[in-house]
Amino acid sequence: MAARKKSGKSSGGEPPRRGRGRDQLELGLSKTEERAALHEVTQEKYLSYALSVITSRALPDVRDGMKPVQRRILYTMWQQRLTADTKHRKCAKVVGDVMGNYHPHGDASIYDALVRMAQPFALRAPLVDGSGNFGSLDGDPAAAMRYTECRLTPISAELLVELDEDTVHFRPSYDGTKEEPVVLPAKVPILLVNGATGIAVGMATNVPPHNLEEVCAAAIRLLDALVEKKALSARELCRTIKGPDFPTGGQIVSSADEIKQIYETGHGTLKVRGTWKLGPVSRAEKKLLVTSIPYAVNKALLVERIAEVVTSRKMPMLVDVRDVSTDDVCIELTLKREADENKVLAYLYKQTPLQTNFAVNLTCLVPTENPEVGRPERLDLAQILWHFLHFRLEVVTRRLQHELSALERRIHIL
C-alpha cells in the first residue's frame, strides 16, 4: 500500500481539527485552568501549609495538652486495650496501626513521639510504659521499633476512660474509613503537667512541666473562685504553683517576681542550673557531686564540655571530671584542696550547659465555634486552667446526658 502524502488538509479537503486553541496548546492549559500570578499562588499555598502545621501538627490543644500525633498514638493503644494491667506489645504494631488508620506521615516521626512519651526524663508524668531501650539522658537513641514494646501508664487511662460515653466530638480519619477523637476527655490538665514543645510556621510553643499536685490544687482554687464569681489572676495562682517542676531536677535561679511575670504574660526566660553537694575531702583534693542537671541538657555533652575546661586549664582549680551516674545523675568533679568551690561552679555555670536558659512560651490551640479546628493563642496561667475547667464541664455534661439516655432506654424496655 502506498503511503499517503502529508498535507495541510485531510482527505476530505478540510483543515486538521484542533482540540485546543493555540494559546492553550502552547501554555499546556486545560479548559478548566486559568492564568494566575505566581506570587498569589505561592502566598495562598504557603498560607494553607502554615495553617496546617499550626493546627494539625506542631501546637498542643489547651484542653488535653496533646498534639495530633500523640493523641492518635494514645487512642490507638486504647483501642488495642494496651492498658497498664496488660502485657507489653511491640511498638512496631502500634506505629503501623497509627500510620495506617489515622496519621498519614512517616513511621519515624510517630515512633519518635511514642518514645518521648515513654521517657521519664522528658515528661513529668510519662504516658507510655516502655519495655526495652527508650534512650537515655546522655542522648542515646532508642532501639528500633521492632525491638521495643509498650503499653499505657495508669495516668493515661485518666485521659481516655470517658471516650466511649459520647463526651467528645469525633471526626473522620484522613481516608474516611474510621473516626478519631478531636480531643481526648482528659481528667488531668496534662498540658501544664508534662509541658510541650513545638515549632510551627511563624510561631512556636515551649511549655515547661509542672508538679501534678500543685496544678490540680490551682485548678481547684480557680474553680472555687468561678463558683463564687470572683476573678483569680495568674499572679494569685502563683501562690499554689510556685514554678516549673522539671523531671531532671535542677534549680530555678530566677526570682519569684520574674516567674510571676512569665505566668502573667505567657512568655519569658527562666534560668535553670544543676544542683550539687560536697563530696569526700582528702589531703590533696576534694570532690563535688553534681546531682541534677538542667532540663533538656544532654548529660554526655555536659561532661564533655567540663572536660574541655579541665584539659585546656582555663580553670586550674578543677582537676578532673567523671560521670559516675547510675539510675540517678552523679557527675564527680575533682578540685584542689584549697580551691573555692563557689568560684569553680560560677565559672562552669557561665561557660558550660550546667546553667541554661529555658524560654517559656505558653502558646497553644484554644477551641473555636468549629469543634474540629483550634485557634493559636498565647495564654497566661489562669487562662490555661480556665479553658481546661470549661472543657471538663462540657465533658461531664455530655457524659451525664449519655448516661441519662441509656437509663431512659432501659426504663422504656422495663
Side-chain angles (χ1 to χ4, degrees), residues 125-358:
L127 303 175
V128 174
D129 178 18
S131 176
N133 175 19
F134 276 80
S136 70
L137 201 57
D138 291 325
D140 301 319
M145 67 181 78
R146 61 182 179 274
Y147 300 121
T148 55
E149 298 180 342
C150 64
R151 65 182 178 186
L152 295 172
T153 57
I155 196 172
S156 295
E158 302 301 322
L159 308 179
L160 298 153
V161 70
E162 297 173 323
L163 268 177
D164 300 330
E165 301 180 19
D166 192 27
T167 53
V168 294
H169 185 73
F170 278 72
R171 64 184 169 200
S173 59
Y174 69 93
D175 58 356
T177 58
K178 296 181 180 296
E179 285 193 333
E180 61 174 327
V182 175
V183 64
L184 300 181
K187 294 183 178 180
V188 182
I190 209 70
L191 176 61
L192 288 175
V193 174
N194 277 339
T197 179
I199 301 175
V201 178
M203 60 182 64
T205 184
N206 202 21
V207 182
H210 295 81
N211 183 272
L212 175 61
E213 185 177 352
E214 291 182 358
V215 172
C216 292
I220 293 173
R221 277 191 62 196
L222 182 59
L223 181 60
D224 292 338
L226 291 174
V227 171
E228 298 174 1
K229 296 183 179 180
K230 295 181 180 179
L232 201 61
S233 66
R235 181 172 286 269
E236 291 172 324
L237 286 174
C238 288
R239 297 179 184 177
T240 306
I241 299 180
K242 307 296 183 181
D245 187 10
F246 296 110
T248 56
Q251 179 184 8
I252 298 175
V253 295
S254 300
S255 65
D257 287 337
E258 291 175 337
I259 296 176
K260 292 177 182 178
Q261 183 71 19
I262 290 174
Y263 283 137
E264 280 184 324
T265 60
H267 67 97
T269 302
L270 292 170
K271 289 184 179 180
V272 186
R273 64 174 55 163
T275 58
W276 61 277
K277 65 180 180 179
L278 191 62
V281 180
S282 64
R283 293 183 179 180
E285 61 186 21
K286 58 182 176 182
K287 297 184 183 298
L288 296 181
L289 303 178
V290 177
T291 56
S292 68
I293 61 176
Y295 182 60
V297 168
N298 186 316
K299 180 162 63 71
L301 180 61
L302 172 62
V303 174
E304 182 181 342
R305 292 286 299 275
I306 297 177
E308 291 176 0
V309 174
V310 174
T311 55
S312 63
R313 298 187 181 276
K314 293 181 179 178
M315 174 51 68
M317 295 293 102
L318 181 60
V319 178
D320 193 16
V321 57
R322 288 197 309 155
D323 185 5
V324 293
S325 304
T326 53
D327 292 335
D328 299 323
V329 174
C330 186
I331 301 174
E332 185 181 83
L333 304 178
T334 304
L335 280 64
K336 293 182 180 179
R337 174 64 186 270
E338 66 277 8
D340 184 354
E341 58 268 18
N342 292 319
K343 290 184 178 180
V344 174
L345 289 168
Y347 182 85
L348 295 179
Y349 289 149
K350 185 176 181 180
Q351 301 296 331
T352 69
L354 194 58
Q355 175 175 305
T356 60
N357 292 330
F358 185 89

Side-chain angles (χ1 to χ4, degrees), residues 24 34 39 46 68 103 124 144 168 172 222 242 267 294 298 350 385 387:
Q24 289 181 325
E34 298 179 356
H39 70 277
Y46 191 76
H103 199 67
R124 196 68 183 84
V168 294
L222 182 59
K242 307 296 183 181
H267 67 97
N298 186 316
K350 185 176 181 180
L385 291 175
H387 280 289

